[in-house]
Amino acid sequence: MDVHPLIRHAPDPEHPGWWSWELAAEDRFNAVIGKLLVRADGPGRAVCRMFPEVRHSNLGDMVHGGALLTFVDMALFAGGRLAGADVVRAVTLDLSTRFLAPGRIGVPLDAEVELLRETKRLAFFAGRVVQEGELIAHFSGALRKMSKEVR
């Protein structure tokens, strides 16, 4: 599978069935999430997993909404790619998230991503963030594919 050249994507030995989605450089914003894992979950579907740490918390000791939004945005790309979308080079066009419950620190969060439709220039997704079976957030988003040229 062709992923972005700055992303290391390989089986994760600590989590059988999961693949890493790791930045080759720690100086990019994406590194704020920390360890990110991905796996395909059937045709047009994938799951991304993050491991919330204290650095992802708000003053109420829950996962900060900004950390959840960052995770969801990254899940559109990583999960979208494993769901079959050609989003190696894309930008977020739209992202809508509804928070339904607080996320807990120290318990993995999963973003279940579904590819709804893909066109030549766009990819549309929907999904949910769950933690130990509890629905934490629901999201939908669209990515706009970029030309191969960097502008």
Side-chain angles (χ1 to χ4, degrees), residues 108-130:
L109 282 166
D110 289 342
E112 301 169 348
V113 180
E114 180 181 5
L115 174 61
L116 300 175
R117 183 165 191 258
E118 183 175 19
T119 68
K120 181 178 176 183
R121 301 290 290 193
L122 301 169
F124 300 91
F125 302 95
R128 43 191 239 140
V129 176
V130 296

Side-chain angles (χ1 to χ4, degrees), residues 6-122:
L6 294 178
I7 294 174
R8 290 190 291 254
H9 183 62
D12 187 289
E14 297 174 15
H15 301 88
W18 291 89
W19 287 64
S20 65
W21 193 271
E22 181 181 5
L23 289 178
E26 291 292 318
D27 61 351
R28 305 293 176 124
F29 180 77
N30 306 50
V32 74
I33 288 297
K35 185 179 189 96
L36 182 68
L37 300 178
V38 295
R39 65 176 169 81
D41 195 34
R45 301 174 87 65
V47 179
C48 297
R49 176 169 284 174
M50 78 167 281
F51 300 86
E53 303 170 21
V54 171
R55 66 185 171 128
H56 300 119
S57 68
N58 60 22
L59 297 178
D61 291 325
M62 297 172 277
V63 179
H64 192 285
L68 280 170
L69 288 171
T70 299
F71 174 47
V72 168
D73 185 65
M74 291 176 63
L76 292 179
F77 289 87
R81 187 70 188 109
L82 264 71
D86 182 16
V87 290
V88 172
R89 296 200 186 276
V91 295
T92 305
L93 182 64
D94 175 67
L95 176 58
S96 176
T97 306
R98 178 157 291 154
F99 301 104
L100 302 169
R104 291 173 285 137
I105 302 302
V107 180
L109 282 166
D110 289 342
E112 301 169 348
V113 180
E114 180 181 5
L115 174 61
L116 300 175
R117 183 165 191 258
E118 183 175 19
T119 68
K120 181 178 176 183
R121 301 290 290 193
L122 301 169

